[in-house]
Tab-separated table of all heavy atoms in Angstrom:
chain	number	residue	atom	x	y	z
C	1	ASN	N	52.905	100.771	145.414
C	1	ASN	CA	52.748	99.435	144.867
C	1	ASN	C	52.345	98.379	145.896
C	1	ASN	O	52.285	97.191	145.556
C	1	ASN	CB	54.055	99.010	144.201
C	1	ASN	CG	54.307	99.751	142.915
C	1	ASN	OD1	53.783	99.419	141.861
C	1	ASN	ND2	55.126	100.800	142.996
C	2	ASN	N	52.019	98.813	147.110
C	2	ASN	CA	51.628	97.842	148.148
C	2	ASN	C	50.511	98.402	149.008
C	2	ASN	O	50.666	99.467	149.606
C	2	ASN	CB	52.834	97.504	149.032
C	2	ASN	CG	53.946	96.842	148.265
C	2	ASN	OD1	53.853	95.675	147.878
C	2	ASN	ND2	55.023	97.580	148.015
C	3	GLU	N	49.413	97.669	149.072
C	3	GLU	CA	48.319	98.074	149.924
C	3	GLU	C	48.699	97.877	151.402
C	3	GLU	O	48.439	98.752	152.254
C	3	GLU	CB	47.063	97.277	149.606
C	3	GLU	CG	45.838	97.706	150.411
C	3	GLU	CD	44.574	96.999	149.970
C	3	GLU	OE1	44.565	96.419	148.869
C	3	GLU	OE2	43.591	97.018	150.737
C	4	THR	N	49.302	96.755	151.690
C	4	THR	CA	49.870	96.494	153.012
C	4	THR	C	51.350	96.759	152.912
C	4	THR	O	52.061	96.040	152.204
C	4	THR	CB	49.627	95.043	153.470
C	4	THR	OG1	48.217	94.803	153.532
C	4	THR	CG2	50.236	94.806	154.839
C	5	ALA	N	51.825	97.769	153.600
C	5	ALA	CA	53.205	98.206	153.436
C	5	ALA	C	53.976	98.105	154.749
C	5	ALA	O	53.391	98.077	155.829
C	5	ALA	CB	53.260	99.652	152.927
C	6	VAL	N	55.280	98.027	154.636
C	6	VAL	CA	56.136	98.123	155.814
C	6	VAL	C	55.970	99.524	156.414
C	6	VAL	O	55.871	99.685	157.629
C	6	VAL	CB	57.605	97.868	155.441
C	6	VAL	CG1	58.515	98.071	156.657
C	6	VAL	CG2	57.789	96.475	154.855
C	7	PHE	N	55.895	100.512	155.537
C	7	PHE	CA	55.764	101.912	155.947
C	7	PHE	C	55.105	102.676	154.823
C	7	PHE	O	55.541	102.590	153.670
C	7	PHE	CB	57.138	102.499	156.269
C	7	PHE	CG	57.111	103.963	156.631
C	7	PHE	CD1	56.704	104.347	157.876
C	7	PHE	CD2	57.503	104.928	155.716
C	7	PHE	CE1	56.669	105.701	158.206
C	7	PHE	CE2	57.477	106.263	156.031
C	7	PHE	CZ	57.058	106.658	157.302
C	8	HIS	N	54.050	103.399	155.136
C	8	HIS	CA	53.340	104.194	154.117
C	8	HIS	C	53.828	105.642	154.128
C	8	HIS	O	53.809	106.310	155.148
C	8	HIS	CB	51.834	104.182	154.374
C	8	HIS	CG	51.121	103.061	153.680
C	8	HIS	ND1	51.114	102.915	152.309
C	8	HIS	CD2	50.403	102.030	154.166
C	8	HIS	CE1	50.413	101.853	151.971
C	8	HIS	NE2	49.978	101.286	153.080
C	9	ASP	N	54.271	106.109	152.966
C	9	ASP	CA	54.671	107.501	152.799
C	9	ASP	C	53.954	108.027	151.551
C	9	ASP	O	54.410	107.830	150.427
C	9	ASP	CB	56.185	107.604	152.632
C	9	ASP	CG	56.670	109.047	152.573
C	9	ASP	OD1	55.851	109.944	152.291
C	9	ASP	OD2	57.879	109.279	152.798
C	10	ASP	N	52.806	108.655	151.748
C	10	ASP	CA	52.003	109.105	150.621
C	10	ASP	C	52.390	110.493	150.128
C	10	ASP	O	51.727	111.045	149.247
C	10	ASP	CB	50.510	109.072	150.952
C	10	ASP	CG	50.169	109.891	152.198
C	10	ASP	OD1	51.079	110.533	152.751
C	10	ASP	OD2	49.000	109.847	152.633
C	11	VAL	N	53.495	111.047	150.654
C	11	VAL	CA	53.975	112.353	150.214
C	11	VAL	C	55.242	112.225	149.364
C	11	VAL	O	55.473	113.048	148.485
C	11	VAL	CB	54.228	113.288	151.410
C	11	VAL	CG1	54.914	114.569	150.996
C	11	VAL	CG2	52.912	113.598	152.115
C	12	ALA	N	56.027	111.197	149.585
C	12	ALA	CA	57.315	111.074	148.912
C	12	ALA	C	57.204	111.160	147.397
C	12	ALA	O	58.018	111.832	146.744
C	12	ALA	CB	57.998	109.749	149.307
C	13	ARG	N	56.183	110.541	146.822
C	13	ARG	CA	56.028	110.571	145.359
C	13	ARG	C	55.851	111.997	144.823
C	13	ARG	O	56.279	112.316	143.711
C	13	ARG	CB	54.841	109.697	144.927
C	13	ARG	CG	54.522	109.727	143.441
C	13	ARG	CD	55.674	109.169	142.627
C	13	ARG	NE	55.421	109.222	141.190
C	13	ARG	CZ	55.634	110.287	140.419
C	13	ARG	NH1	56.113	111.399	140.962
C	13	ARG	NH2	55.382	110.240	139.134
C	14	GLN	N	55.258	112.866	145.647
C	14	GLN	CA	54.998	114.251	145.220
C	14	GLN	C	56.273	115.074	145.091
C	14	GLN	O	56.267	116.124	144.459
C	14	GLN	CB	54.048	114.920	146.198
C	14	GLN	CG	52.679	114.251	146.287
C	14	GLN	CD	51.799	114.914	147.354
C	14	GLN	OE1	51.575	116.115	147.323
C	14	GLN	NE2	51.334	114.126	148.295
C	15	LEU	N	57.352	114.593	145.697
C	15	LEU	CA	58.620	115.320	145.641
C	15	LEU	C	59.342	115.144	144.298
C	15	LEU	O	60.308	115.825	144.020
C	15	LEU	CB	59.547	114.871	146.764
C	15	LEU	CG	59.042	115.104	148.194
C	15	LEU	CD1	60.058	114.594	149.197
C	15	LEU	CD2	58.743	116.588	148.430
C	16	PHE	N	58.832	114.233	143.467
C	16	PHE	CA	59.438	113.968	142.165
C	16	PHE	C	58.511	114.404	141.036
C	16	PHE	O	57.288	114.241	141.116
C	16	PHE	CB	59.681	112.465	141.980
C	16	PHE	CG	60.621	111.858	142.979
C	16	PHE	CD1	60.163	111.353	144.187
C	16	PHE	CD2	61.982	111.768	142.709
C	16	PHE	CE1	61.022	110.784	145.111
C	16	PHE	CE2	62.858	111.198	143.612
C	16	PHE	CZ	62.380	110.708	144.817
C	17	THR	N	59.068	114.950	139.986
C	17	THR	CA	58.281	115.148	138.780
C	17	THR	C	58.087	113.771	138.145
C	17	THR	O	58.830	112.815	138.450
C	17	THR	CB	58.996	116.069	137.780
C	17	THR	OG1	60.216	115.433	137.343
C	17	THR	CG2	59.321	117.411	138.407
C	18	ASP	N	57.120	113.670	137.237
C	18	ASP	CA	56.901	112.392	136.567
C	18	ASP	C	58.147	111.976	135.775
C	18	ASP	O	58.513	110.781	135.756
C	18	ASP	CB	55.702	112.495	135.609
C	18	ASP	CG	54.384	112.646	136.361
C	18	ASP	OD1	54.344	112.357	137.571
C	18	ASP	OD2	53.395	113.070	135.709
C	19	GLU	N	58.788	112.945	135.146
C	19	GLU	CA	59.975	112.644	134.335
C	19	GLU	C	61.111	112.134	135.212
C	19	GLU	O	61.820	111.178	134.848
C	19	GLU	CB	60.411	113.887	133.560
C	19	GLU	CG	59.441	114.364	132.492
C	19	GLU	CD	58.226	115.102	133.054
C	19	GLU	OE1	58.256	115.470	134.253
C	19	GLU	OE2	57.256	115.289	132.298
C	20	GLU	N	61.316	112.775	136.357
C	20	GLU	CA	62.404	112.377	137.245
C	20	GLU	C	62.135	110.981	137.824
C	20	GLU	O	63.044	110.145	137.881
C	20	GLU	CB	62.545	113.381	138.384
C	20	GLU	CG	63.714	113.107	139.311
C	20	GLU	CD	63.838	114.140	140.409
C	20	GLU	OE1	62.782	114.697	140.829
C	20	GLU	OE2	64.958	114.393	140.856
C	21	TYR	N	60.909	110.735	138.234
C	21	TYR	CA	60.556	109.440	138.791
C	21	TYR	C	60.767	108.320	137.765
C	21	TYR	O	61.322	107.268	138.100
C	21	TYR	CB	59.101	109.464	139.253
C	21	TYR	CG	58.663	108.242	140.044
C	21	TYR	CD1	58.904	108.165	141.413
C	21	TYR	CD2	58.008	107.185	139.410
C	21	TYR	CE1	58.511	107.053	142.144
C	21	TYR	CE2	57.614	106.075	140.113
C	21	TYR	CZ	57.870	106.022	141.492
C	21	TYR	OH	57.473	104.900	142.202
C	22	GLN	N	60.375	108.580	136.540
C	22	GLN	CA	60.554	107.588	135.485
C	22	GLN	C	62.020	107.385	135.162
C	22	GLN	O	62.462	106.247	134.914
C	22	GLN	CB	59.791	108.012	134.219
C	22	GLN	CG	59.757	106.941	133.128
C	22	GLN	CD	59.085	105.671	133.590
C	22	GLN	OE1	57.965	105.721	134.116
C	22	GLN	NE2	59.738	104.532	133.419
C	23	ARG	N	62.785	108.457	135.185
C	23	ARG	CA	64.215	108.358	134.903
C	23	ARG	C	64.933	107.489	135.939
C	23	ARG	O	65.774	106.660	135.596
C	23	ARG	CB	64.839	109.747	134.826
C	23	ARG	CG	66.312	109.732	134.433
C	23	ARG	CD	66.816	111.131	134.087
C	23	ARG	NE	66.749	112.066	135.208
C	23	ARG	CZ	65.873	113.062	135.317
C	23	ARG	NH1	64.987	113.308	134.357
C	23	ARG	NH2	65.915	113.848	136.383
C	24	ILE	N	64.570	107.686	137.208
C	24	ILE	CA	65.166	106.870	138.257
C	24	ILE	C	64.739	105.418	138.107
C	24	ILE	O	65.551	104.497	138.244
C	24	ILE	CB	64.794	107.414	139.650
C	24	ILE	CG1	65.395	108.806	139.863
C	24	ILE	CG2	65.274	106.476	140.752
C	24	ILE	CD1	64.945	109.481	141.149
C	25	SER	N	63.461	105.215	137.793
C	25	SER	CA	62.959	103.856	137.598
C	25	SER	C	63.714	103.144	136.469
C	25	SER	O	64.150	101.987	136.632
C	25	SER	CB	61.468	103.887	137.245
C	25	SER	OG	60.691	104.456	138.257
C	26	ASP	N	63.907	103.842	135.367
C	26	ASP	CA	64.606	103.238	134.219
C	26	ASP	C	66.073	102.948	134.552
C	26	ASP	O	66.602	101.896	134.167
C	26	ASP	CB	64.528	104.175	133.009
C	26	ASP	CG	63.106	104.308	132.456
C	26	ASP	OD1	62.257	103.464	132.790
C	26	ASP	OD2	62.863	105.283	131.716
C	27	THR	N	66.710	103.887	135.237
C	27	THR	CA	68.119	103.701	135.582
C	27	THR	C	68.285	102.506	136.505
C	27	THR	O	69.214	101.696	136.358
C	27	THR	CB	68.666	104.957	136.272
C	27	THR	OG1	68.551	106.076	135.369
C	27	THR	CG2	70.126	104.784	136.662
C	28	MET	N	67.394	102.390	137.475
C	28	MET	CA	67.477	101.281	138.419
C	28	MET	C	67.235	99.934	137.734
C	28	MET	O	68.006	98.981	137.899
C	28	MET	CB	66.474	101.474	139.567
C	28	MET	CG	66.883	102.547	140.533
C	28	MET	SD	68.438	102.124	141.353
C	28	MET	CE	69.031	103.755	141.790
C	29	SER	N	66.183	99.831	136.963
C	29	SER	CA	65.874	98.551	136.306
C	29	SER	C	66.973	98.143	135.350
C	29	SER	O	67.287	96.951	135.196
C	29	SER	CB	64.528	98.624	135.585
C	29	SER	OG	64.538	99.597	134.579
C	30	ALA	N	67.621	99.134	134.722
C	30	ALA	CA	68.721	98.837	133.796
C	30	ALA	C	69.932	98.298	134.550
C	30	ALA	O	70.830	97.689	133.927
C	30	ALA	CB	69.105	100.088	133.016
C	31	GLY	N	69.989	98.494	135.857
C	31	GLY	CA	71.121	98.020	136.642
C	31	GLY	C	70.952	96.651	137.246
C	31	GLY	O	71.724	96.256	138.122
C	32	ILE	N	69.944	95.898	136.799
C	32	ILE	CA	69.685	94.585	137.395
C	32	ILE	C	70.882	93.642	137.266
C	32	ILE	O	71.115	92.806	138.149
C	32	ILE	CB	68.421	93.942	136.742
C	32	ILE	CG1	68.023	92.678	137.509
C	32	ILE	CG2	68.656	93.678	135.275
C	32	ILE	CD1	67.601	92.908	138.942
C	33	GLY	N	71.678	93.808	136.233
C	33	GLY	CA	72.863	92.962	136.057
C	33	GLY	C	73.864	93.144	137.175
C	33	GLY	O	74.591	92.212	137.532
C	34	PHE	N	73.929	94.345	137.742
C	34	PHE	CA	74.809	94.613	138.867
C	34	PHE	C	74.256	94.025	140.146
C	34	PHE	O	74.965	93.389	140.932
C	34	PHE	CB	75.020	96.119	139.012
C	34	PHE	CG	75.711	96.541	140.273
C	34	PHE	CD1	77.078	96.360	140.436
C	34	PHE	CD2	74.991	97.125	141.308
C	34	PHE	CE1	77.724	96.742	141.598
C	34	PHE	CE2	75.623	97.521	142.475
C	34	PHE	CZ	76.994	97.319	142.630
C	35	PHE	N	72.958	94.243	140.360
C	35	PHE	CA	72.344	93.795	141.594
C	35	PHE	C	72.107	92.292	141.637
C	35	PHE	O	72.251	91.661	142.676
C	35	PHE	CB	71.015	94.527	141.808
C	35	PHE	CG	71.157	96.009	142.055
C	35	PHE	CD1	70.766	96.923	141.097
C	35	PHE	CD2	71.663	96.482	143.245
C	35	PHE	CE1	70.898	98.280	141.320
C	35	PHE	CE2	71.800	97.833	143.501
C	35	PHE	CZ	71.412	98.740	142.524
C	36	ASN	N	71.680	91.741	140.510
C	36	ASN	CA	71.347	90.319	140.470
C	36	ASN	C	71.647	89.762	139.082
C	36	ASN	O	70.765	89.702	138.211
C	36	ASN	CB	69.863	90.117	140.804
C	36	ASN	CG	69.453	88.663	140.860
C	36	ASN	OD1	70.261	87.763	140.616
C	36	ASN	ND2	68.195	88.415	141.203
C	37	PRO	N	72.876	89.346	138.815
C	37	PRO	CA	73.281	88.872	137.486
C	37	PRO	C	72.449	87.709	136.974
C	37	PRO	O	72.320	87.526	135.767
C	37	PRO	CB	74.740	88.465	137.695
C	37	PRO	CG	75.190	89.257	138.876
C	37	PRO	CD	74.001	89.344	139.765
C	38	ALA	N	71.876	86.913	137.876
C	38	ALA	CA	71.108	85.743	137.471
C	38	ALA	C	69.626	86.042	137.240
C	38	ALA	O	68.845	85.134	136.909
C	38	ALA	CB	71.247	84.645	138.512
C	39	PHE	N	69.225	87.308	137.364
C	39	PHE	CA	67.798	87.659	137.254
C	39	PHE	C	67.280	87.373	135.859
C	39	PHE	O	67.919	87.616	134.839
C	39	PHE	CB	67.604	89.141	137.574
C	39	PHE	CG	66.169	89.586	137.488
C	39	PHE	CD1	65.306	89.350	138.550
C	39	PHE	CD2	65.684	90.211	136.361
C	39	PHE	CE1	63.983	89.748	138.476
C	39	PHE	CE2	64.361	90.603	136.272
C	39	PHE	CZ	63.513	90.370	137.331
C	40	ASN	N	66.038	86.875	135.799
C	40	ASN	CA	65.362	86.596	134.522
C	40	ASN	C	63.945	87.147	134.591
C	40	ASN	O	63.091	86.607	135.265
C	40	ASN	CB	65.346	85.080	134.260
C	40	ASN	CG	64.733	84.745	132.901
C	40	ASN	OD1	64.690	85.592	132.001
C	40	ASN	ND2	64.264	83.529	132.747
C	41	GLY	N	63.709	88.262	133.904
C	41	GLY	CA	62.390	88.873	133.920
C	41	GLY	C	62.408	90.174	133.139
C	41	GLY	O	63.440	90.579	132.586
C	42	ASN	N	61.249	90.860	133.106
C	42	ASN	CA	61.173	92.107	132.347
C	42	ASN	C	61.624	93.290	133.212
C	42	ASN	O	61.985	93.129	134.396
C	42	ASN	CB	59.758	92.325	131.796
C	42	ASN	CG	58.705	92.420	132.893
C	42	ASN	OD1	58.949	92.978	133.957
C	42	ASN	ND2	57.511	91.880	132.632
C	43	SER	N	61.591	94.499	132.630
C	43	SER	CA	62.119	95.676	133.332
C	43	SER	C	61.299	96.025	134.588
C	43	SER	O	61.862	96.456	135.592
C	43	SER	CB	62.174	96.860	132.378
C	43	SER	OG	60.875	97.175	131.859
C	44	ASP	N	59.961	95.854	134.512
C	44	ASP	CA	59.133	96.134	135.683
C	44	ASP	C	59.456	95.158	136.813
C	44	ASP	O	59.529	95.572	137.990
C	44	ASP	CB	57.646	96.046	135.331
C	44	ASP	CG	57.172	97.187	134.446
C	44	ASP	OD1	57.855	98.229	134.430
C	44	ASP	OD2	56.137	97.028	133.780
C	45	GLN	N	59.637	93.913	136.475
C	45	GLN	CA	59.998	92.926	137.482
C	45	GLN	C	61.373	93.181	138.054
C	45	GLN	O	61.617	92.990	139.236
C	45	GLN	CB	59.914	91.516	136.874
C	45	GLN	CG	58.491	91.097	136.519
C	45	GLN	CD	58.473	89.853	135.633
C	45	GLN	OE1	59.408	89.566	134.887
C	45	GLN	NE2	57.384	89.094	135.741
C	46	ALA	N	62.274	93.645	137.201
C	46	ALA	CA	63.636	93.965	137.655
C	46	ALA	C	63.595	95.116	138.642
C	46	ALA	O	64.270	95.082	139.681
C	46	ALA	CB	64.511	94.309	136.451
C	47	LEU	N	62.794	96.159	138.345
C	47	LEU	CA	62.693	97.303	139.237
C	47	LEU	C	62.138	96.873	140.581
C	47	LEU	O	62.664	97.260	141.632
C	47	LEU	CB	61.814	98.376	138.605
C	47	LEU	CG	61.596	99.631	139.459
C	47	LEU	CD1	62.912	100.326	139.763
C	47	LEU	CD2	60.626	100.589	138.767
C	48	ARG	N	61.109	96.056	140.552
C	48	ARG	CA	60.511	95.585	141.811
C	48	ARG	C	61.529	94.800	142.635
C	48	ARG	O	61.636	94.985	143.849
C	48	ARG	CB	59.295	94.706	141.493
C	48	ARG	CG	58.639	94.044	142.722
C	48	ARG	CD	57.714	94.992	143.415
C	48	ARG	NE	57.299	94.490	144.713
C	48	ARG	CZ	56.046	94.540	145.159
C	48	ARG	NH1	55.086	95.066	144.406
C	48	ARG	NH2	55.731	94.118	146.367
């Protein structure tokens, strides 16, 4: 998600299946209330 990155790892994504990667993404974004109770935005913004 970043052309200019702190650190580029172009292999890490290959270690996950699409289903697993999406499952982790969904689980994380659903936890925005724990990480930032005052957050106001959609699920993609929450994940970011």
Side-chain angles (χ1 to χ4, degrees):
N1 288 278
N2 297 287
E3 184 174 343
T4 300
V6 176
F7 176 77
H8 270 299
D9 186 340
D10 56 4
V11 172
R13 176 63 182 85
Q14 299 176 55
L15 298 180
F16 298 89
T17 64
D18 292 343
E19 294 76 14
E20 184 180 31
Y21 189 84
Q22 188 61 51
R23 185 168 63 252
I24 295 174
S25 299
D26 293 343
T27 300
M28 287 297 156
S29 61
I32 189 63
F34 169 75
F35 293 109
N36 184 357
F39 181 81
N40 184 21
N42 61 36
S43 60
D44 289 339
Q45 293 167 333
L47 179 60
R48 175 82 191 224

